[in-house]
Amino acid sequence: MSDPDVITWTAIISGYVRCGKMGDARRLFDRIDAKKNVVTWTAMVSGYMRNKCVFEAEELFERMPERNVVTWNTMIDGYVRNGRVDLAVGLFERMPERNVVSWNTVVNALVKCGRIEDAERVFSEMPEKDVISWTAMVGGLARFGRVDEARRLFDRMPERNVVSWNAMVTGYTQNKRLDEAFYLFERMPEKDVPSWNTMITGFIQNGELRRARKLFDEMPVKNVVSWSTLINGYVLDDQSEEALKFFMKMQAEGSVKPNEGTFVSLLGACSSLAGLSEGKQIHQIISKTLYHDDKLVISALLNMYSKCGELTTAKKIFDDGLRNQRDLISWNGMIAAYAHHGRGSDAINLFKEMQYFGFKPNDVTYVALLAACSHAGLVEEGLHYFDKLMSDRSIQVNEDHYTCLIDLYGRAGSLKGAFDLIKKLPVKPSSSVWGALLAGCNVYGNASLGNLVSKQIMATEAENAGTYILQANIYSSSGNYREAANIRMKMKDKGLKKQPGCSWIEIGNRFHVFVVGDKSHSDTKLIYNLLGDIHAKMKKNSYVQTDGLIMEEEFLVT
């Protein structure tokens, strides 16, 4: 073009901005013959903000020869998107002229970062409000537990759209008020797919899977979120087999394609079932989609292969699939995989490697690392890393860390040390912390301490059958069969029964399932003879401390 005008210059610069080529856009923008107006400048500011180049955006904004309300809104929105809410509010207060978009941007920003009182103040000062303003405030109040205030505001709204209704329904479900949520859902003048998904999610989050499935079946139109939500619901409800069947139903209908959320939930189902063949099938499906290099999906694959005993494959995925995009989640997943398989030294080495590459451990990292040390009997190493955790003020030490530490002591036989440590904890010990110590008492047959710990657990979980079983085992292992019998009698009087143990193994594409004392298998006689032989050899080599353990059906639990 011999003489492009300002519209042409703006169009081509904006094109480079939209394609993320900010260097090319800036070179054109800075040319001596470039023709620019407020739209051109605003496009550049917007591009820098979208690419997280806040300093460059600020520098350009301050140099602008003229600004309009769109320019100011672009800058405010950019600050919000980059997590700089205070700067956004400060710029908002400097604005010479505001429109409803300016006000809504600030209200939404304050709501999302939890500054609900500030959001209320700005909302009350608005000269005019639209449905977006009202909806933002309703959703914010509900999200922070002020659901009754949200409902009063919702009832005052001069107009509502489907997003407003969805926000109010979500508020009720998040605050465990399902009946009110469903009452409102049924009276919505119009429902879109997110409306149905919102209600289904609410049912699942509150443990009402049956109602969620009923509502799903009534949906006129379903999308991938609808299907994925139900699949995840089944996984959360320990119905992983049903989750896989539901995915097969989704595949059979063929109208919806799975996304990364679907695959992560499905791989979680395979992990809980130790279903390696199913996991491999899901992996094959993933490899034919654009999610084959998604970080969350790859981390879920790593976890699945680890839980199914394929640690070598898990490590290969970690090394190859995540070579260029390892994040803290993937490092934590691999450390946890080593912990799961008792590979404490490998977990420690990987932890050191993670730090070498500049990744800072978080609370989840330390849980995995301490568990790895505990399972491998690396007591000194575990104590060393617990000390490191305590000295890191950026990480909140939680119950899981203390449980791992007590488990570490218990496995090493330092039961008194573990008990003394529990008494010094800065928080009230939970049943899981006491349970870790009780397990140690069971292993080492410490009846007196085991009895004391059992009382602590029963004070908060009187109906926990596992505690009674462990306590009876401790008495039995120390030769106190009378007390063991008394514990069993207490269980019977309370009507408590331990859930029978169940295991399965896949051989030649056939699953063999066993429960405690099971004698239904065609090879029962051979299996029991083999187990008896193994048990005798373990006793001979002092791997079995006593014959007196209470396992519902003696020691034969497969």
Side-chain angles (χ1 to χ4, degrees), residues 332-346:
N332 288 349
M334 196 63 229
I335 292 171
Y338 280 135
H340 187 69
H341 288 270
R343 302 267 290 269
S345 297
D346 289 327

Side-chain angles (χ1 to χ4, degrees), residues 37 41 92 96 109 125 141 162 216 248 256 283 298 301-302 337 340 432 438 479 507-508 540:
N37 62 12
W41 285 81
F92 172 78
E125 294 172 358
L141 288 167
V162 68
F216 175 88
M248 291 170 62
V256 174
H283 193 175
I298 294 174
L301 280 167
L302 186 156
H340 187 69
S432 65
L438 184 61
I507 302 174
K540 185 178 178 181

Side-chain angles (χ1 to χ4, degrees), residues 278-289:
E278 290 82 0
K280 286 181 175 178
Q281 290 175 43
I282 300 298
H283 193 175
Q284 286 181 340
I285 296 171
I286 292 169
S287 66
K288 298 171 185 174
T289 70

Side-chain angles (χ1 to χ4, degrees), residues 348 351-352 366 369 381-389:
I348 290 171
F351 177 77
K352 292 176 179 175
Y366 276 104
L369 185 65
E381 292 85 345
L383 294 175
H384 166 71
Y385 286 112
F386 188 82
D387 287 340
K388 285 191 70 173
L389 167 65

Side-chain angles (χ1 to χ4, degrees), residues 58 61-63 67 72 75-76 79 86-98 106:
E58 289 174 328
F61 178 79
E62 294 300 332
R63 282 177 44 208
R67 307 177 188 124
W72 287 85
M75 197 68 192
I76 291 170
Y79 276 137
D86 286 332
L87 291 175
V89 173
L91 198 63
F92 172 78
E93 291 172 349
R94 283 174 49 199
M95 285 183 77
E97 175 192 358
R98 301 167 184 154
V106 172

